[in-house]
Amino acid sequence: MAALLRPARWLLRAAAAPYLPLSLRLLAGGPGRPDAAVCLRAARARPVAGGLLSQARLHSIAAEKKNYLQEEPTSSHRRNASQFDWALMRLDNSVRRTGRIPKTLLQKVFDNTCHSGSPGGNQALLLLRSCGSLLPELKLSERTEFAHKIWDELQKLGTVYDVSHYNALLKVYLQNDHKFSPTDFLARMEKGNIQPNRVTYQRLIAAYCNMGDIEGASTILGFMKTKDLPVTEAVFSALVTGHARSGDMENAENILTVMKEAGIEPGPDTYLALLNAYAEKGDIDHVKQTLEKVEKSDLYLMDRDLLQIILSFSKAGYPQYVPEILEKITYERRYIPDTMNLILLLVTEKLEDTALQILLACPISRESSQNDFGSFFLRHCVTMNTPAEKLKDYCKKLKEAQLHTSPLQFTLQCALVAQKLDLAKVLMKALKEEGFPIRTHYFWPLLVGHQKEKNVQGIVEVLKGMHEIGVTPDQETYVNYVFPCFDSIKSVRAVLQENGCPHDDNVFSQAELRSKAVNGNLDYILSFLESNTLPFSFSSLRGSLILDCVCSNLLLLLQCTHFLSYQITELLYKDGRYCQEPPGPTEAVGYFLYNLIDSMSDSEVQAKEERLRQYFHQLKEMNVKIPENIYRGIRNLLDSYHVPELIKDVNILVEREKTDSRKPSSSDLESKLEKLKAENQPIGDILKQLIVMLCSEENMQKALELKAKYESDMVVGGYAALINLCCRHDNAEDALNLKREFDRLDSSAVLDTGKYVRLVKVLGKHGKLQDAINILKEMKEKDVPVKDATVLSFFHILNGAALRGETETVKQLHEAIVTLGLAKPSTALSSPLVTLYLEKDDLPAALESTIDCYEKYKILPRIHDVLCKLIEKGETELIQKAMDFVSQEQGEMTMLYDLFFAFLQTGNYKEAKKIIETPGIRARPTRLQWFCDRCIANNQVETLEKLVELTQKLFECDRDQLYYSLLKLYKVNDDWQKADAVWNKMQEENIIPREKTLRLLAEILRNNNQEVPFDVPELWYEEEKDCPTSLPSPVEVNLQQGLLNACHRRRNKAVSRSIFCSNIFNIRTVVFIISPWCSTIYYRIRSIAETHIKGFTLNDAANSLLIITQVRRDYLKDALTTLKTALDLDQIPSRLAVTRLIQACALKGDTESIHDIQKLVNGLEDSIGLSRMVFINNIALAQIKNNNIDVAIESIENMLTSENQTVDPQYFGLAYLFRKVIEGQLEPALKKISIMAERLANQFAVYKPVTDLFLQLVDSGKVNDARALLQRCGAIAEQMPILLVFCIRNCQRPGKAPVMKSLLELIPELIDKEEAYTCLMKSYVFDNDVTSAKALYESLTAKNVKLNDLFLKRYAVLLKNAGESVPFTEPPESFEFYAKQLKESKETHL
Amino acid sequence: MAASAARGAVVLRTNIGRPVAFVRKIPWTAASSELREHFAQFGHVRKCTVPFDKETGFHKGMGWIHFSSEEELHNALQQENHIIDGVKLHVQPQKPKALQGDQTSDEEKDF
């Protein structure tokens, strides 16, 4: 790489010329070029005739992959498509990294390809090409077999082969030394009507020559001559091999002369053919002579070629000459994969001794013990069943050579993975001899395999093996790996005894107990606990795994019933045996509860909040009590799980109830204080309370006065609050004094982190540097916890000072923080040191400061900004200095990127272009992404556009990712024209956009009412899957996105108040983002915001979310208040929020609130998007819940029959009401509603309600009721539009196949409707209901219905996935193709 | 509403970080007992988990050490090299499970 980078360094040297303008100086890169040319020639890439791998081939495969994607940008099934993309990427990565492909990976890709429907030609090509030397771990014959399998399978799936496929197959044959008849091959091509080309003939000649058949080769050569095809070096090289293999070395040598006469100079390939020929004969002398000859000519043999010669020697049985060739190898890093492949190949060919020889010759640095080398060799030896003794020996040698630190352990691992018991036993014994402990879990992988097959004999073998090695199975071994193989634990005991497997009875019975617990057999546990005669004290039970099991079982039970868990708790509580220790039962139960909650994850606790609450209350009824300290532990747990709501429920269990006195007001306190003082009673507590309260009211004046008045009665708590208050009010003087008084009062008292930080900030700001540093020191001495947020506060303190230009403050505080070890000197924390000078435009000092940071802390803060400034000012010497420094310390690549970004940022695009075109530079995704994100954050459109443009040819650059970033920026600016241009550019560049890119692009276009010129991946289907219920409003979509982002952000950044207070917009954003997933955090932030920011209000979206959260938490009154507040602020809450609130009120029977809401939103229904039916349905439901069924029914009937109808009967949907009534099993209501619906139908010809009711009955599985209703009111079957809408809605959700089936049964006429049968099939496919799908297909074909391609495709995929044959030709195109076709045909029909 | 907001603020005040070390790159030869043994030198190990994959019979190289105090965790983190069976472990404090806010409006709080 360094060599390749040389021109770039020259470029920089040129930049030092002082008199040229910077841009021109950087352009003067001419003289650097010849250098580059030399480098490139050295890196020549050419195909090697068979055998080892070549770089060129890898890249052609990578290119092939791209081609494949270009032709078929979308695959038929989205899931498959993404899976396939992933696999292809893996394949490509594997080749790039290791130079080979593991068989399992290829198999996976192949299977995926087959599942994806009809594989394209390039896809087939990729697979075929992978079956040659890229698979060194497979035997040659196996590789060819694999190729044939692929060939046949794909042909069956309808792949059409062309000459390139035949040529690829030929190449595979050559690489695998596959013996075949070239004439037959030609005949096959002819039969397939494929014309052979030059490459075909060349490879056929090579095939003949490999067999030593010169005559055959000559025939083909004759063919080529008549067709006037040029004869290339490859043909001559093949002839060299041909003559040699026919035993005619003289003529083999002569070919070189013939070549020269024909005007073709023999190249490395020809010489390599000759060298291999000599090697196959074991003629080391001639090999050496030829090598010398090559060296003398200006030709150059690469390591790869030499490795080829080694292979020839070894395969021909002359391993003794291998060392002589090994000496000549230079071991360039890039050939390491080739060397590894040769080693693997030799192992495959059972030449493992030679393989080891090569391995040991590899010049891997032996000092760094971290990187073991040779694992691949050992693993492959295990796979190829190399004898155990040999392997032991290899391990010894590898260790002696210091190539591998733990070869035996590694080999053992391989043996275990491969489930080779005998080998494992030998290795374990060897390890034991070395003194390495053999542990129980080593045997688990061996047991796993047998357990999966329920192979009892195998299990017994392993257990015996354990005994042989001297390892006793533990509980876990039995529970997890042995018992599952048997029907009952009794039979395990029997089988073990039968086979003479010794076992520890105690361990065994404990394992039995655990197993029962795991399986939820709590009865067993109960009886065990009751009948237990062993001295089983609770504390031993507490720590043991058994309790974990009990806990997890309790959780299981909590899901359905609590009964048994109470019993266990009760038992623990009441049974003296489990609580013999002094603390008594209270503690036992307390610990039990603590463990129970501790063993749950936070999401579990959140999900089971209500269950746990009930459980606690039940415990209360049982009069169970827990001690306060344990309660505190539980409280902390619940707090950290963000379910503080449960704390009050645990609190009721606390032994000594501490009543919380209601908080009095500050004036109350004050008078109380005076009273006490007058009575000469102690006032410390009340004084503190009062001060704290005044502080919370931000009344500094009063608080300070109070403190001065009662100074002698002050306690530390009061001081702490006061100090904080003064800091908040930027009152450094008083804060410091208070701190001193505080220390005098109790020098060992510690403030919390936030207060210390605030003190440092205020003191620093007011120039009291030494005092600030003293505070920092105190923080260190008193070991105050420093969190991420604290470090962030430090940064803000330093940065603030830097912006104010306070050099000393920044330097000294930074120094103190870092040297005290309060925070690590990160790039962020140290950046103020540089900011200081950048703000003053003192560039030399800024650069010096950055470099200084590197020397001290190995970080380069703000190097990008420094460089940008330097470039802007044309400070060439400083640039040179900076670049020299960066490249020396962090490498040339980093330096180039730094320079590239700086040029881009400053608009010096030409220079940026020069940099990024440096030969040898390759893409660094993280750095590119960093710059993209920066551009997006700063809205630098042009800069980002230039970045994307200039990186077009950058090696290994993820173009799609860059375009995605660009689109993100366009989305911010809502610039659809530019987004559209991106779409065209991507096509021009032949980039295959990922789905997220397409979606983003589509979104931009749609937002601007533009037509989307492509099919957004599987839109028809995806939307249905993503949104099982109704489509969300745009606001909701935004919220969801915000949520997603929040979830990402949440991991990275702690939310800090300093961020909040800096920017009101941010607070809103944060509140809005986080409120849905954690209402408590939301409350907290809001309270911070409300106290600290005047006039703080939430925006529409945040309020809507708040309403939803409150509804979910069942704070309906609060929710209603929020709604009022929002409406008062002229906000429009989301439809979802209002609907949820109305529905929640209805379920509570709160008719009044619904009416209130109706009044509140009156006139806004359309802007919110509320249907009138929401109120009608929910008011009726609320009335029904209040047993006012008749009122509800009467009002509905009135609405539908009166003259002035507000809602058209056609749209008078009561499905929600019906569903809720059915779900709630409100039988009397259902009966009356049914009568009403029928009456409306029969007397007023209003059929919508009765049809809705009918459908809801079907939907909830009440088929008989539905049938009866249908019989009474036959008109239902005629309501086709309503029925079809129902079908269409239902087929978009999973699990609806039975509903659809019953509906079809009740109304068989439905099947005549295309919409209906399409929906039915969709539903069946969704639920994988093959039988019903078959029946549907058959009844349709029996009726001679012409089925569309989409329908057939769906059916075919269902059958295929179920492993059944498809009784018709599967439509070859993708889903979206047919979806689009169908859409278009419908549009034209309209 | 205001009451519930206040309540939210109160209950969140005591935000505790639990003293847990997250350990990666555990060699396959070691399991929880080896880890427990190793980390016992830094303090009382309350709980030590190295989950095994029941499909393969191997663990995934990760584990969690629950100490009983922050100090013990700190001790463990202070040590630069943790080596078991000749393999260097990666030890780091367990990231807080959820967003951890700055301890801010803590007027009533006893430091």
Side-chain angles (χ1 to χ4, degrees), chain A residues 875-901:
Chain A
E875 299 271 4
T876 46
E877 266 169 46
L878 286 176
I879 298 177
Q880 184 66 46
K881 185 180 168 191
M883 291 320 2
D884 278 347
F885 185 79
V886 174
S887 70
Q888 189 193 330
E889 295 297 335
Q890 299 198 312
E892 279 171 292
M893 189 86 98
T894 310
M895 178 270 291
L896 287 174
Y897 269 98
D898 281 338
L899 205 55
F900 174 58
F901 290 145

Side-chain angles (χ1 to χ4, degrees), chain A residues 461-481:
Chain A
E461 286 301 320
V462 178
L463 289 174
K464 277 185 175 166
M466 288 178 88
H467 184 62
E468 203 180 309
I469 306 281
V471 174
T472 25
D474 58 3
Q475 277 187 49
E476 274 176 288
T477 312
Y478 285 123
V479 174
N480 294 332
Y481 304 99

Side-chain angles (χ1 to χ4, degrees), chain A residues 507-554:
Chain A
V507 175
F508 196 89
S509 43
Q510 288 200 10
E512 188 174 1
L513 174 68
R514 253 187 78 189
S515 166
K516 298 275 185 192
V518 168
N519 295 326
N521 194 340
L522 275 195
D523 281 330
Y524 180 89
I525 306 260
L526 264 180
S527 64
F528 178 87
L529 290 173
E530 274 166 353
S531 67
N532 183 20
T533 48
L534 294 165
F536 232 66
S537 88
F538 181 73
S539 57
S540 74
L541 190 62
R542 189 168 80 205
S544 80
L545 284 153
I546 295 175
L547 191 73
D548 280 352
C549 288
V550 177
C551 287
S552 52
N553 267 287
L554 278 173

Side-chain angles (χ1 to χ4, degrees), chain A residues 1268-1298:
Chain A
L1269 184 62
L1270 182 63
Q1271 276 160 4
R1272 290 198 297 274
C1273 185
I1276 293 171
E1278 289 154 29
Q1279 306 304 314
M1280 269 308 158
I1282 304 174
L1283 297 175
L1284 289 179
V1285 166
F1286 178 82
C1287 287
I1288 290 166
R1289 286 211 181 133
N1290 267 295
C1291 74
Q1292 295 170 358
R1293 312 172 202 175
K1296 287 291 181 186

